Amino acid sequence: MSKLVFTPWEVKGNVDYDKLIKEFGIQKIDETLLKRLKKHTKDLHYMLRRRIFFAHRDLNWLLNEYENGNKFFLYTGRAPSGPIHLGHLIPWMFTKWLQDKFNVDLWFQFPDEEKFLFKDKLTLEDTEKFTYENALDVIALGFNPKKTHFLIDTIHADLMYKEAIKVAKKITFSTVKATFGFTNDTNIGSIFYTSMQAVPAFLPSVLAGKNIPCLIPLGFDQDKHFLLSRDVISKLGYYKPAIMHCRFMPGLGGIENEGKMSASEPFTTIYTTDSEKQVENKIKKYAFSGGKDTIKEHREKGGNPDIDISYQYLTFLEEDDKKLMKIYNDYKSGSLLTSGLKEIVIEKINSFLKNHQRERERAKGKVDKFIFEK
Amino acid sequence: MSKLVFTPWEVKGNVDYDKLIKEFGIQKIDETLLKRLKKHTKDLHYMLRRRIFFAHRDLNWLLNEYENGNKFFLYTGRAPSGPIHLGHLIPWMFTKWLQDKFNVDLWFQFPDEEKFLFKDKLTLEDTEKFTYENALDVIALGFNPKKTHFLIDTIHADLMYKEAIKVAKKITFSTVKATFGFTNDTNIGSIFYTSMQAVPAFLPSVLAGKNIPCLIPLGFDQDKHFLLSRDVISKLGYYKPAIMHCRFMPGLGGIENEGKMSASEPFTTIYTTDSEKQVENKIKKYAFSGGKDTIKEHREKGGNPDIDISYQYLTFLEEDDKKLMKIYNDYKSGSLLTSGLKEIVIEKINSFLKNHQRERERAKGKVDKFIFEK
């Protein structure tokens, strides 16, 4: 992924994305599909216009079903293991938009055992704490409590385990070894885990006693789980879930250097609970710049927004295409300096977080309303 | 196991049992330990006198705790996959005796996913049916409903899964591969399963919020699970469960030929629901005889009770040592013919089953009382 850069209007480094799409065996979200989506949603979310959601599995099938009156549900999730950063919010913001546009239920999984099993030092007390903290960030995005159902693996295991073993029976160690790179030293909980991640893709069908299509918006690294389980789910008699794949928001250190934003690297990451001052410091100090070495050179030759992290963050947060295009052009032409660009992104993030943090506080009394009642 | 034979008074084929005990790293139940047990139980169950329960882990430790006022609970179980036969009942009858003598709680696990995961053709509908049917046989033995708690894995997974993943995190694929002979083609549910079997050994401690010793009476083939999990349970901060190991009741075809009674081989097995006529036919037709080829020869040289299945069954079912010894001597001397011995065991089994079947019918309204209330 390190060679991929993108503007709001087109994917650059097509070769790599094409390679990725080919490797995963997934489809590009193309103009035809966007037009088809737009028939239902009236407008197109900027994450679609900018191909932040860039690929899919079976979205045309899902729309066929929808157009035939067979409504779908949404499924996404979060493995609690640390605080939430901006990168985590991206696919959930889009999921919220899908919920509103299609007026559908969302099943949001908190697989609170996943990171416990995969990380030596993480305890279940940690994951319990983070489940609550992370739930606040999810709720803060404005999901409809009547149509949003949190599944917490250890709490809802009486519903989920019975379904997970049906999946597990059809997956061998060879398969998870090849898919996830497991070895003989991998613990048997980690080996089993993917079965639990498959469950919310068909549990609503089990509970409703009828087959309901499922759409999973996800960070594309999660596709592996469903690459594995889609066939299994189909063998169990349920629809294969459709998937929409999201890019990663890069870390502050830059696309080339660090890949995605990571909660475990505080200097490359902006958390949802960061103060205005912290955001300002992080952007000023760590946000990788596409600017030239001197102001003079920058004015003459212009900066490179495609590798500039401040600009890249704006593509994830600034809804207004015209505004974004102007910033792109100004930076590229040299009329906008790095310092100016950083001011713009600092203001954008802080204004976003001010709202988010207010909603996050208000979410504190609401968590129970979202937890699925057995 | 195929070379092992035993009388009510001593274990024959000591070499093999010693080998087994050595291989498993378990202790013989010896005279000293029996005396110690008898201090508490007043009499000794015939399965102890006859070393049907022949070995243990940490029973002396358990009795230390008990004598210091630290009561234990019992844990045993049944993986539902077919009907119950006489061989299944043996360790449960002994468990019932322990419950009565020590006045302790019993946690009885129905791991209804186990055989589903391990047997290709078994469905969860099958295991659900067998869970109910098998529960009737357990209840028929007279367990105290106030002190007996059924755990059904798929139903109680909300209590159990959270504990199972703590176990699973500490067991690698290498370990289960070596212990259970798994391969890369083993499904990931089977790989995980042993974690679930470990849970009832410490779940009562979790629920009570204090550490309670645990004693597991089991068929010795189940020892492997705890060989694996005892150390893990200890690392989690709970007592290692103590274990008492039971021999198998052999199949009708004989010790040499078939080993243990198996529910999947109807011609070698007496089910708890067999009619008097079925029992009679099976014993007459299939029970391997230690008698001589002709009556004349038998009268002269005597039979061999050590390999005679009818006699062996009596060691599992006839409580009266004197009666049993007389039968042993009469058969060995030749005064008791195979036909006579078969009449004795047929009557013994049918009288046992008559009572069992009556209690089994009465159990039909009682199952809910035994299922642990969450």
Side-chain angles (χ1 to χ4, degrees), chain A residues 125-257:
Chain A
E125 289 69 39
D126 295 335
T127 56
E128 192 178 344
K129 188 190 79 183
F130 287 126
T131 300
Y132 173 75
E133 290 294 328
N134 297 178
L136 297 180
D137 284 294
V138 175
I139 294 168
L141 294 175
F143 290 103
N144 180 347
K146 292 203 176 118
K147 288 185 164 283
T148 304
H149 318 287
F150 289 175
L151 287 174
I152 304 170
D153 286 14
T154 63
I155 292 175
H156 293 91
D158 50 344
L159 297 176
M160 298 179 69
Y161 182 66
K162 188 177 176 179
E163 306 308 322
I165 54 173
K166 295 178 193 168
V167 176
K169 189 173 180 176
K170 296 184 186 295
I171 299 176
T172 65
F173 181 66
S174 287
T175 307
V176 292
K177 193 177 169 179
T179 306
F180 300 110
F182 290 162
T183 70
N184 281 6
D185 292 333
T186 304
N187 75 58
I188 60 176
S190 297
I191 291 169
F192 176 71
Y193 169 70
T194 194
S195 322
M196 290 293 278
Q197 188 154 334
V199 171
F202 64 97
L203 183 65
S205 294
V206 175
L207 296 174
K210 62 172 183 179
N211 213 345
I212 313 173
C214 169
L215 171 61
I216 311 177
L218 48 66
F220 72 85
D221 62 327
Q222 295 296 308
D223 185 79
K224 285 183 174 183
H225 285 290
F226 301 100
L227 179 63
L228 249 184
S229 62
R230 271 166 41 95
D231 281 345
V232 175
I233 290 167
S234 163
K235 279 182 201 157
L236 293 178
Y238 304 102
Y239 295 127
K240 285 186 190 187
I243 298 177
M244 293 181 81
H245 303 80
C246 181
R247 300 166 197 275
F248 288 130
M249 191 166 181
L252 284 163
I255 300 161
E256 298 280 348
N257 300 325

Side-chain angles (χ1 to χ4, degrees), chain B residues 14 20 22 34 37 41 60 104 110 112 147 151 175 193 216 220-221 227 278 286 297 320 327 363 370:
Chain B
N14 270 325
L20 187 78
K22 208 174 161 187
L34 287 182
L37 269 169
T41 57
N60 276 303
V104 290
F110 291 94
D112 54 341
K147 288 187 163 281
L151 288 174
T175 307
Y193 168 71
I216 310 177
F220 73 85
D221 63 326
L227 179 64
Q278 282 175 309
Y286 301 111
E297 199 190 344
D320 187 331
I327 295 165
F370 283 85

Side-chain angles (χ1 to χ4, degrees), chain A residues 3-6 10-19:
Chain A
K3 285 187 188 161
L4 293 171
V5 290
F6 43 94
E10 64 170 322
V11 177
K12 290 208 177 181
N14 269 326
V15 183
D16 286 294
Y17 258 106
D18 282 349
K19 200 178 151 196

Side-chain angles (χ1 to χ4, degrees), chain B residues 15-46:
Chain B
V15 183
D16 287 292
Y17 258 105
D18 283 348
K19 200 178 151 195
L20 187 78
I21 282 169
K22 208 174 161 187
E23 265 179 33
F24 278 53
I26 55 185
Q27 272 72 50
K28 257 191 193 175
I29 293 180
D30 60 16
E31 285 301 325
T32 317
L33 185 52
L34 287 182
K35 270 184 198 157
R36 193 175 176 192
L37 269 169
K38 201 175 170 181
K39 275 202 307 187
H40 300 289
T41 57
K42 309 306 171 204
D43 54 20
L44 282 180
H45 195 279
Y46 68 92

Side-chain angles (χ1 to χ4, degrees), chain B residues 113-130:
Chain B
E113 83 280 47
E114 179 182 358
K115 296 297 170 66
F116 165 75
L117 288 166
F118 282 85
K119 294 188 173 194
D120 263 3
K121 287 184 181 166
L122 201 72
T123 67
L124 282 175
E125 289 68 38
D126 296 334
T127 57
E128 192 177 345
K129 188 190 79 182
F130 287 126

